[in-house]
Amino acid sequence: MTNVSGGTLRRRPAQRRSLERVERMLDECARLLDEVGYEALTTKEVARRAEVPIGTFYQFFPDKQGLVRALAIRNLEAFLGRITARLSEVRLSEWTEMVDLTIDEFVAMKRSTPGFAVVDFGGVFATPGGPILKGTDRMLDAALENNAIVADRLRTIVVEVLGAPIGPELDRVLFVAVEAADAVLKLAFRSLPDGDPELIAECKHLVRRYLSAHLPQE
Amino acid sequence: MTNVSGGTLRRRPAQRRSLERVERMLDECARLLDEVGYEALTTKEVARRAEVPIGTFYQFFPDKQGLVRALAIRNLEAFLGRITARLSEVRLSEWTEMVDLTIDEFVAMKRSTPGFAVVDFGGVFATPGGPILKGTDRMLDAALENNAIVADRLRTIVVEVLGAPIGPELDRVLFVAVEAADAVLKLAFRSLPDGDPELIAECKHLVRRYLSAHLPQE
DNA sequence: CAAATAGCGTGAGTCTTGCTCATGTTAATC
DNA sequence: GATTAACATGAGCAAGACTCACGCTATTTG
C-alpha cells in the first residue's frame, strides 16, 4: 500500500508500545467524533479514553487538527486498500461498474468505520482564503489533497481497465466527479444515519451521467 | 423577500443603534473570516473591530457559531434576492439558462461579498452524527436547511417557468444538483482565489447533464 | 415633577481548553 | 557500573468563549 502520510506526526512511533498508543488514540478520536462532533472533541478526552497522558499525546500529534488529519489519512488508506482489493476480485467489463463499486465501498465505510461519517478523508473544515496568521489551519488543503489522491488513484485504474485518453482533462473530470459524489453522499448521510438509499442511487446517477460525456461509451 | 431567519439571535435589535451594531458585527465577522478563517476567528476581535463591547455582542449572538450562522443567513437572503432580481430582468426561454444564471450569480458573490468564500450559506462545519452532548453544534443542520431553501426556491421558479412535474422526485433532484454544484464551486475557489474558470464551466456542465435526464427537453 | 420600575449596556472576571516544558524514568551504549 | 540518549509525564500557562453583577438610561406611575 502506498504510504500517503506526509508530515502529520511530530514523532513517528518506533516501538511497539508507542505504535499501539497512536492507534488507540486514533480509534478513540474516531469514536468521540461520532459522539460529540469535531468542535466538542477535546484532546484531553481523547488522551483520557486512550489511557495516554496528555503530554504523550502531544509527543505524536502537533495539535487537534493534526489528530483529525491523521485519522483522515488512515481512512483514506483504508479506503484505497478496500477499493483495490475489490477490483482484484471482480473483473469489471464496463466503467459504470467501477462507479457503483467505488460508491458502494464508500457507503459501506460510512456505515461501519467509526468517525468516517464525520471526517471521511478530511473535509471537516473550510478555511481557505487569505493570509492565515496564526493557528494556521491547513486542514482544508489536506482535504483537497486527499480527494485529489482518490481521483488520481481512480484515474490510474480507469486508464488501465479501458484505454482512456490520458491528459489534464481526464484529471479534472475525475476530480469533479469525486468532489460532487462526496458532497451528495454527505447529504445522504445527513438525511438518514445509514444513508438515504434514494440519494445514494441519485449519486450514482449523477456521476454516471456526468462521466458518460467524457468516457468512451461501450 | 421571505424572511428565512429562525431563532438565530438572542435578542432582536429594536432600536436603530442596535440594528446598526448587529450589522457592523456581521460585516466585521465576514471580513475576519476572509483574513484568518473560522477557527482563528475570535468573538473578542469581532467585537473590538465593530467597536462594540463584548457583553453587547453576547446580548445578540448566542455564541461564535450563532454569529456565523447569522452571517450565512444574511448571505442566503442576499443571494435569493439577487437571483429573483435577475430573473425578473431576463426572460429565459430554456431552463439551461437558469443553471448558468444561478451559478454565475453565486460566483459573483463568491468574488465580491466578504466572507462568502468561507461560509456561503453555512457549510463551514461538519458535525452531524450521534447524540450531541454539549456545545450542541447544530450548524450543519443550518447548512443543510439553507441549501434546501435554495433548492426549494429554484423549484418554485422551475415549476413556474416551464410546467415541470411537481413532486418529491423533482425536489430530490434539485436538492442533489444544488449540493453537487456547491461542492464543485467550493473546489473551484479553493484552486484559485477568483475561482478556476474551467472548474466553473465544468460545474455548469455537471448540473446540465444531470438535470437533462429529469427536466423536459426543449 | 419626582419616584419607582424596567430594560439596556458594560467589561472585569470565571471557566474551559489547547498546548508546553521541566523533571522523572527507562533503554541503549560504552 | 557509569554515561548518555530517548521517551514519558502531568502540573501549569496562555488564550479564548462566555457570564453576571452593577451602572445607566428610558419609560411609566402617584
Side-chain angles (χ1 to χ4, degrees), chain A residues 104-149:
Chain A
D104 286 340
E105 212 60 42
F106 191 86
V107 166
M109 277 191 76
K110 279 264 177 196
R111 285 185 185 140
S112 61
T113 308
F116 194 76
V118 182
V119 300
D120 59 59
F121 305 140
V124 198
F125 312 97
T127 312
I132 286 167
L133 302 179
K134 66 175 191 173
T136 323
D137 21 345
R138 298 187 49 78
M139 179 69 181
L140 203 256
D141 294 336
L144 176 62
E145 230 185 79
N146 284 356
N147 264 355
I149 288 169

Side-chain angles (χ1 to χ4, degrees), chain B residues 161-217:
Chain B
V161 169
L162 50 140
I166 311 170
E169 204 201 334
L170 181 63
D171 286 16
R172 196 173 58 240
V173 166
L174 281 174
F175 201 1
V176 166
V178 169
E179 205 71 25
D182 193 20
V184 175
L185 289 174
K186 279 205 180 94
L187 176 65
F189 278 84
R190 263 181 272 159
S191 312
L192 289 176
D194 275 0
D196 186 331
E198 304 209 319
L199 285 176
I200 293 170
E202 211 63 28
C203 178
K204 290 177 182 172
H205 196 156
L206 172 76
V207 173
R208 273 203 294 261
R209 282 292 285 181
Y210 175 61
L211 290 184
S212 68
H214 294 275
L215 287 182
Q217 291 294 10

